[in-house]
Amino acid sequence: MNEQKKIGLFGFGTVGQGFYENLKKHTHLSAVIAKVCVRRIDLPRIGHELYFTDNPDELLLDPEIDIIIELIDDAVAAKQYVHTALREGKSVISANKKMIGESLKEIDEWHTRYDATFLYEAAVGGGIPIVHAVDGFFRDQEVLKIRGILNGSSNYILTQMQQNQWSFEQALIDAQAKGFAEQNPTLDISGVDASYKLSILAYHAFGEVPSLSSFSAESIENVTKELIKKAKTKGKKIKPIATIEIVDGKIVCTVKPQLVSPNDELFSVDFENNAISVETLISGKHTAAGKGAGSLPTGSAVIEDLKRLLSGYSYQVSKSKKTVA
Ligand code: HSE
């Protein structure tokens, strides 16, 4: 029997609990949660059998802990924990798109400098295995364009406004209550959250760290009930579309609400669902869709990373550099 790997888990919020619930069903995995670090140790919570602490060093400096899983909201603290863990020789899994999207330059170095593996499937597209697909399958192909819906909350809000005539505010409150929206929902509705996810995909698809300052993001706050009604009378929908492509040798990224027709593969992607369409020179267009936000779907992506980690997988981007054509 394989030796049980010990996990140090940072964060026990929406995604942390989703991971915990998923892990209980994966009893065949040779990994167990040894310690959980939370900000507020006094809060009542599920997971009575777990050991909770509010001291990060109890996890980071514990030689018995092999794997750190970072699922906290604070991007600054997350970066520090991830870096310390990799330096300590521990493998790391994270879901922190803000931290990863903003730190790709350093993460690119970490992938090559440290022997320990760093995976982050849950940072993009919730339960859809898109980072793995882009890094593995599509990295050896010439990717022309990636287009999709990468923010579950903004798609949920626009869907409720379109299908059920909800107000923007009502739909946002519901997206927060369902655990789709960030603690700071401005990141969701402004398109910034989707920009972080696009930058991660760009890094794996093109082998380049794109500059976030060149991204253009437009909020869904300007989408009025009237605009949605007008689209509906034409048989169309307004969707939060994220696009990344190479134009004149440069990576161009945009996130903005756009009118889509019924023949568009993103037309039927509603509520918190996400979809990502990868267009390649040789094998054409491939679209993956599924739940893009929420506790259990995002927690399942963390489990997928854990399985890959246990099987010795690491990202290809760390092994080869593809130059932008
Ligand atoms: N707030 C994010 C979203 C969660 O709504 O898509 C998943 O990354």
Side-chain angles (χ1 to χ4, degrees):
M1 180 153 165
N2 286 343
E3 184 208 341
Q4 286 264 328
K5 296 281 183 200
K6 292 201 169 59
I7 299 170
L9 175 63
F10 279 93
F12 206 63
T14 304
V15 184
Q17 290 180 33
F19 165 67
Y20 165 74
E21 292 294 351
N22 272 290
L23 187 64
K24 283 201 283 193
K25 298 190 185 94
H26 287 75
T27 46
H28 59 288
L29 287 181
S30 315
V32 62
I33 301 174
K35 292 177 182 172
V36 188
C37 183
V38 289
R39 206 171 29 197
R40 294 273 315 272
I41 198 154
D42 54 319
L43 289 183
R45 48 173 57 95
I46 58 165
H48 299 294
E49 77 286 10
L50 297 173
Y51 174 83
F52 287 95
T53 173
D54 57 3
N55 178 4
D57 286 347
E58 271 204 61
L59 280 64
L60 294 169
L61 305 180
D62 181 346
E64 298 268 293
I65 288 185
D66 310 282
I67 302 166
I68 291 291
I69 301 189
E70 177 283 303
L71 306 173
I72 64 172
D73 193 52
D74 178 343
V76 176
K79 186 171 175 181
Q80 202 189 324
Y81 300 155
V82 168
H83 192 194
T84 307
L86 289 170
R87 235 178 17 216
E88 291 291 317
K90 301 183 193 304
S91 290
V92 180
I93 295 169
S94 168
N96 202 312
K97 54 273 164 107
K98 183 175 188 321
M99 182 272 285
I100 299 163
E102 283 176 343
S103 315
L104 280 168
K105 244 196 168 89
E106 284 133 296
I107 287 168
D108 188 47
E109 279 174 37
W110 299 348
H111 278 313
T112 43
R113 188 187 318 159
Y114 300 113
D115 279 340
T117 297
F118 180 31
L119 303 176
Y120 34 81
E121 184 61 70
V124 185
I128 308 169
I130 192 65
V131 179
H132 180 63
V134 170
D135 184 79
F137 183 69
F138 295 117
R139 241 191 89 64
D140 292 322
Q141 301 206 26
E142 189 168 335
V143 175
L144 303 173
K145 185 174 177 174
I146 299 176
R147 178 175 174 269
I149 295 176
L150 284 173
N151 185 265
S153 304
S154 49
N155 196 33
Y156 182 84
I157 293 167
L158 292 178
T159 304
Q160 289 290 19
M161 289 173 75
Q162 199 258 344
Q163 288 193 8
N164 300 317
Q165 293 76 51
W166 284 18
S167 69
F168 178 90
E169 292 73 22
Q170 183 186 4
L172 173 57
I173 289 169
D174 199 47
Q176 286 179 297
K178 290 194 160 83
F180 303 151
E182 300 301 305
Q183 244 173 41
N184 172 8
T186 315
L187 292 176
D188 294 300
I189 59 183
S190 62
V192 173
D193 177 82
S195 298
Y196 291 139
K197 293 166 178 170
L198 269 182
S199 67
I200 297 169
L201 292 181
Y203 168 60
H204 286 273
F206 306 124
E208 293 263 314
V209 175
S211 154
L212 269 176
S213 59
S214 66
F215 283 32
S216 114
E218 199 180 303
S219 174
I220 60 158
E221 270 177 300
N222 305 326
V223 181
T224 59
K225 275 186 165 179
E226 289 66 39
L227 283 171
I228 287 184
K229 211 167 150 188
K230 214 165 135 190
K232 206 171 175 177
T233 54
K234 288 185 190 154
K236 299 187 177 189
K237 289 180 185 172
I238 299 176
K239 292 279 173 201
I241 307 291
T243 313
I244 186 159
E245 58 191 320
I246 305 283
V247 179
D248 297 332
K250 285 207 178 93
I251 297 170
V252 178
C253 292
T254 53
V255 181
K256 61 179 177 186
Q258 284 178 334
L259 211 53
V260 297
S261 307
N263 61 357
D264 191 308
E265 67 267 14
L266 302 180
F267 183 82
S268 307
V269 180
D270 289 325
F271 296 101
E272 78 275 23
N273 287 306
N274 281 192
I276 303 107
S277 185
V278 182
E279 213 175 304
T280 68
L281 184 67
I282 306 294
S283 65
K285 199 193 269 185
H286 309 248
T287 305
K291 291 202 180 300
S295 178
L296 290 174
T298 314
S300 78
V302 180
I303 292 281
E304 289 312 307
D305 269 351
L306 179 60
K307 282 196 217 161
R308 287 182 197 116
L309 206 136
L310 294 173
S311 70
Y313 172 87
S314 62
Y315 289 136
Q316 297 297 314
V317 78
S318 58
K319 296 173 192 144
S320 62
K321 290 277 165 204
K322 183 165 82 171
T323 47
V324 174

